[in-house]
Amino acid sequence: MTYADEDWYPPSPPGWQQPGTAPQGHTSRHQPYGRDLWQEPYGYTSRHDAYGHTPRHDPYENYRNGADLAALRSAYRLLRRVSTLTALGSFVVYVVLSCATPDLMGSKIAGELSLGMVLGVLQLVVTFAAVFWYGRSAERSVDPLAQVVREQAGTNSGAAR
Amino acid sequence: MTDFNSGTQATVLILFTTLVTLTLLMCVMAGPERDDLANFYTGYLSLTPLKNGLAIAGDYISAATVLSTTGIVALAGYDGYVLAVSTALSLVLLMFLLAEPLRNAGSFTMGDVLARTMPGRAVRIAACVVTLAATLPFLVVQLSGAGSLLTFILDIPHGAGARTICITLVGSLMIVYAAIGGMRGTALIQMIKIVLLLGTSFVVAVLVLNRFDWSPGEVLRAAQQGSGAGPTFLQQGLQLGTSAGERLDFVGLQITVILGVACLPHITMRLYSARDVPAVRRSMSWAVSTVTTFCLLVIIMGTGAAALVGSQYITAADPQGRTSILMLSRVLGGDASSVGATVLYAAVAGVVFITLLSSVAGMTLAAASSLAHDLFAHAAQRGKAEPRTEMAVATWASVGVGTLAIVLATLAQNWNVGVLTTLAICIGASAVAPALTYSLFWRGFTRTGMLATLYGGAGSALILMVFSQAVSGTPAAVFPNADFDLFPMQSAGLVSIPFGYLAGWLGSRRDHRRRAAESRENLRLYEENEPRLLAAAE
């Protein structure tokens, strides 16, 4: 068991200025103070156990991990909802239109090509672009956040060892 | 139509033998190392995204997709186009919604994903039951199709004996691939198959367009004539009908396909073998591109078959049109005795054969893995099984599953078993898809909810399909003379998918009230697992 007294501060209520003597071993690895550390609800002080032992790792880290995980979660959720609903929605609209208005979808727009056929083939062609777009958005919005969460999990399990 | 001389049959036979020998050899060489479980279940962890993507696409495009979808395009025109689009978009949906968290959550089978927040044997057993319920019908369809297809390709007189021999032959080969090759061997075969399949389909599609001077309008005009349906060929309704109920049925079928096909266990199993999240994303990009290209080619080939072969010849050979792609290649080859005709026909027949073999092998492997990993290692032995024993069980399980499938396919060879494809997809959409989405994205999901989703979704799909019009009451049904079609639709998805989701939600709500401690434990496990689920953080 590690007694991490020297790099642990008792949690302070929201709005307090952090002491300038931040623990050296941690600040280097994480974002500087001033991020929305205290936006999270206050409730992690119970990590003291009954014998007054300090917890195994820095409670500030839990705040950060929680915040980073929440950011990753909402980024993933946004990406997932937008992409899934677009793909599923466009297809459902297409099928319902095909069934509800066969005359409209069967109307010829160029030679023998009907509107329904063009829309169907168009969905397949747009798929390539959609997949490309998904990969690029995921790389931009999700991957950096996932990297942060992964690194923190690595340092946490390192501290626990 | 079968006016080929014995020279062509000999070429086809030689090609088949060569393909079987080569792939068997590769399977043996690529087989997994003994007592390395990860190696057996996931194959290569070092596979590049391109190769992994090709393997996923190979598993995804089964013989049913190649043969039936082409047939439906040829016979039903517009309805077939919609089916091709929904088939391609199903994999897109898998990529967008499930692929990345699935890769992070799972290790070998679907049971691993579902049991990660709810340890216990009941969930493992349910996962195994649903895996079997989804893969076995699909396996039986493809095997019994293999019987009639091989007798058609080799031009053996249609007798029960010849078909039984063909089914047994293909089934034994499939067992050998699955048992000896494992995921590694089947991955290799899937890659080869998809490259051959794409290449051959591309050539066929180019030949079709070339025949009509690269004018889509001409192809469509000829297809309308050849189908005998006229302008209705390009309107929705040829497949199931045009009344309001039949149109609703069509919408239900398409939604079932888009939700269900990609969730089938033999496809999700390939995702666990990706190295990391960017790798699974790139693999899926390749897989989606390949499948979409193929679906575009299917549209061209099916329309070409309607234009050049004609509906009456297609339905004369097979009422579901499953032989249309072979007949198209015969017509495109021109003079039956020319070298070009022989080569083209032999190539298409060979590709169809290897597609059949590889897709049944992949499904056998998925079922056997679930039996060995979920049922034997975790439910029976409580996770204490030796890796060597587990692998031996998996090998014998593939033999068992394969034998069962051969027996069932032989028994069902005279029925119209296409309904089993619908059943498998319905179970995928109403049991597997809700269980996976709830388990990955809803922290309040509990054990009762999980069991209700898995058993309720699969059970409702099964019961509704038995009493549907696809089984009895209509001329095209399995039992056209019987009359127990209480459910007036061809596919169960429109009812069973909402039922599967509702059952999971109600079951979880019940747990929240009655067994609060246990649902809090599920919640804690979910939150503990979340960094791993979202970021692959260990």
Side-chain angles (χ1 to χ4, degrees), chain B residues 282-364:
Chain B
R282 276 199 294 276
S283 304
M284 286 304 285
S285 301
W286 281 112
V288 168
S289 312
T290 314
V291 168
T292 310
T293 312
F294 181 73
C295 286
L296 281 168
L297 293 175
V298 160
I299 290 180
I300 300 176
M301 289 191 297
T303 318
L308 292 171
V309 184
S311 282
Q312 63 193 99
Y313 291 109
I314 295 176
T315 41
D318 180 277
Q320 279 81 45
R322 282 174 304 193
T323 49
S324 56
I325 186 169
L326 289 160
M327 299 171 89
L328 175 67
S329 71
R330 274 186 193 176
V331 173
L332 283 174
D335 183 16
S337 56
S338 69
V339 179
T342 310
V343 169
L344 186 68
Y345 182 68
V348 172
V351 162
V352 166
F353 181 60
I354 194 88
T355 305
L356 259 175
L357 268 182
S358 58
S359 40
V360 286
M363 286 165 209
T364 312

Side-chain angles (χ1 to χ4, degrees), chain B residues 166-231:
Chain B
C166 287
I167 291 174
T168 318
L169 201 76
V170 173
S172 321
L173 280 173
M174 139 194 120
I175 293 174
V176 171
Y177 286 138
I180 297 181
M183 279 301 263
R184 278 176 88 138
T186 49
L188 203 62
I189 297 180
Q190 298 288 13
M191 281 181 245
I192 296 169
K193 159 206 143 179
I194 193 74
V195 171
L196 289 178
L197 182 65
L198 264 188
T200 317
S201 313
F202 186 73
V203 171
V204 172
V206 163
L207 285 176
V208 167
L209 289 177
N210 190 39
R211 186 63 82 85
F212 291 96
D213 292 331
W214 300 90
S215 152
E218 287 298 316
V219 185
L220 289 172
R221 196 166 299 135
Q224 289 179 32
Q225 263 170 14
S227 69

Side-chain angles (χ1 to χ4, degrees), chain B residues 350-405:
Chain B
V351 162
V352 166
F353 181 60
I354 194 88
T355 305
L356 259 175
L357 268 182
S358 58
S359 40
V360 286
M363 286 165 209
T364 312
L365 196 64
S369 301
S370 183
L371 276 173
H373 192 67
D374 294 333
L375 200 63
F376 173 76
H378 281 95
Q381 305 268 315
R382 294 171 189 274
K384 294 195 192 75
E386 292 278 322
R388 188 181 279 271
T389 329
E390 194 178 328
M391 279 180 62
V393 171
T395 309
W396 285 108
S398 10
V399 177
V401 170
T403 317
L404 181 64

Side-chain angles (χ1 to χ4, degrees), chain A:
Chain A
M1 174 105 194
T2 319
Y3 287 86
D5 282 343
E6 63 280 334
D7 61 349
W8 181 74
Y9 280 84
S12 28
W16 279 21
Q17 193 59 42
Q18 283 298 307
T21 53
Q24 295 304 312
H26 278 269
T27 40
S28 56
R29 271 190 243 124
H30 301 301
Q31 305 277 333
Y33 289 117
R35 282 180 76 216
D36 52 351
L37 266 184
W38 302 105
Q39 298 299 315
E40 291 287 315
Y42 191 64
Y44 271 87
T45 39
S46 59
R47 290 195 60 101
H48 276 294
D49 64 22
Y51 306 99
H53 284 164
T54 47
R56 273 188 294 181
H57 45 258
D58 191 342
Y60 295 159
E61 284 221 356
N62 284 313
Y63 281 110
R64 286 208 198 92
N65 286 359
D68 286 326
L69 194 61
L72 174 64
R73 191 189 302 135
S74 56
Y76 243 132
R77 190 178 292 158
L78 182 70
L79 179 68
R80 209 163 53 216
R81 285 190 182 161
V82 170
S83 52
T84 310
L85 289 181
T86 314
L88 192 61
S90 66
F91 180 75
V92 170
V93 167
Y94 168 64
V95 172
V96 170
L97 270 185
S98 303
C99 289
T101 60
D103 295 332
L104 173 71
M105 296 300 262
S107 58
K108 303 273 159 57
I109 53 170
E112 289 294 319
L113 280 177
S114 65
L115 180 65
M117 268 208 75
V118 171
L119 284 182
V121 172
L122 204 65
Q123 284 195 53
L124 288 183
V125 176
V126 167
T127 298
F128 290 100
V131 164
F132 177 76
W133 167 84
Y134 176 85
R136 223 185 43 170
S137 327
E139 253 165 44
R140 281 188 189 162
S141 70
V142 172
D143 282 359
L145 294 168
Q147 182 70 26
V148 171
V149 170
R150 229 177 357 253
E151 274 168 13
Q152 277 174 356
T155 51
N156 273 3
S157 61
R161 226 167 270 143

Side-chain angles (χ1 to χ4, degrees), chain B residues 34-56:
Chain B
R34 291 296 136 196
D35 58 286
D36 186 349
L37 269 186
N39 198 313
F40 180 79
Y41 282 122
T42 58
Y44 311 78
L45 273 175
S46 52
L47 219 56
T48 62
L50 170 62
K51 288 183 183 165
N52 198 16
L54 287 180
I56 295 171

Side-chain angles (χ1 to χ4, degrees), chain B residues 8-369:
Chain B
T8 312
Q9 307 301 345
T11 318
V12 172
L13 258 185
I14 291 171
L15 186 72
F16 278 15
T17 325
T18 321
L19 275 175
V20 168
T21 320
L22 278 180
T23 46
L24 268 183
L25 209 66
M26 279 186 321
C27 237
V28 173
M29 304 229 295
E33 284 139 40
R34 291 296 136 196
D35 58 286
D36 186 349
L37 269 186
N39 198 313
F40 180 79
Y41 282 122
T42 58
Y44 311 78
L45 273 175
S46 52
L47 219 56
T48 62
L50 170 62
K51 288 183 183 165
N52 198 16
L54 287 180
I56 295 171
D59 255 322
Y60 188 71
I61 298 176
S62 63
T65 314
V66 178
L67 302 172
S68 305
T69 311
T70 319
I72 293 173
V73 171
L75 293 178
Y78 192 90
D79 294 359
Y81 302 150
V82 179
L83 183 64
V85 174
S86 63
T87 309
L89 284 189
S90 182
L91 199 65
V92 176
L93 222 55
L94 177 73
M95 175 187 179
F96 287 172
L97 188 62
L98 295 176
E100 293 167 31
L102 256 186
R103 184 258 153 222
N104 289 337
S107 44
F108 299 144
T109 61
M110 189 174 83
D112 288 337
V113 178
L114 300 182
R116 100 194 171 280
T117 56
M118 339 183 164
R121 309 204 291 176
V123 173
R124 291 275 182 181
I125 294 172
C128 181
V129 167
V130 169
T131 304
L132 284 181
T135 41
L136 254 186
F138 223 12
L139 204 51
V140 172
V141 174
Q142 316 239 2
L143 269 185
S144 89
S148 39
L149 204 82
L150 276 192
T151 46
F152 179 85
I153 292 176
L154 300 175
D155 206 13
I156 307 168
H158 283 250
R163 254 186 288 172
T164 308
I165 291 172
C166 287
I167 291 174
T168 318
L169 201 76
V170 173
S172 321
L173 280 173
M174 139 194 120
I175 293 174
V176 171
Y177 286 138
I180 297 181
M183 279 301 263
R184 278 176 88 138
T186 49
L188 203 62
I189 297 180
Q190 298 288 13
M191 281 181 245
I192 296 169
K193 159 206 143 179
I194 193 74
V195 171
L196 289 178
L197 182 65
L198 264 188
T200 317
S201 313
F202 186 73
V203 171
V204 172
V206 163
L207 285 176
V208 167
L209 289 177
N210 190 39
R211 186 63 82 85
F212 291 96
D213 292 331
W214 300 90
S215 152
E218 287 298 316
V219 185
L220 289 172
R221 196 166 299 135
Q224 289 179 32
Q225 263 170 14
S227 69
T232 47
F233 186 74
L234 296 181
Q235 279 177 14
Q236 190 275 324
L238 273 187
Q239 189 189 0
L240 296 179
T242 51
S243 75
E246 285 159 342
R247 289 215 153 117
L248 190 67
D249 198 2
F250 181 77
V251 174
L253 180 65
Q254 299 307 328
I255 289 176
T256 314
V257 167
I258 200 173
L259 292 179
V261 180
C263 287
L264 290 175
H266 63 280
I267 296 151
T268 51
M269 210 178 149
R270 287 260 173 240
L271 298 179
Y272 309 135
S273 61
R275 200 182 320 118
D276 50 18
V277 168
V280 82
R281 205 177 290 146
R282 276 199 294 276
S283 304
M284 286 304 285
S285 301
W286 281 112
V288 168
S289 312
T290 314
V291 168
T292 310
T293 312
F294 181 73
C295 286
L296 281 168
L297 293 175
V298 160
I299 290 180
I300 300 176
M301 289 191 297
T303 318
L308 292 171
V309 184
S311 282
Q312 63 193 99
Y313 291 109
I314 295 176
T315 41
D318 180 277
Q320 279 81 45
R322 282 174 304 193
T323 49
S324 56
I325 186 169
L326 289 160
M327 299 171 89
L328 175 67
S329 71
R330 274 186 193 176
V331 173
L332 283 174
D335 183 16
S337 56
S338 69
V339 179
T342 310
V343 169
L344 186 68
Y345 182 68
V348 172
V351 162
V352 166
F353 181 60
I354 194 88
T355 305
L356 259 175
L357 268 182
S358 58
S359 40
V360 286
M363 286 165 209
T364 312
L365 196 64
S369 301

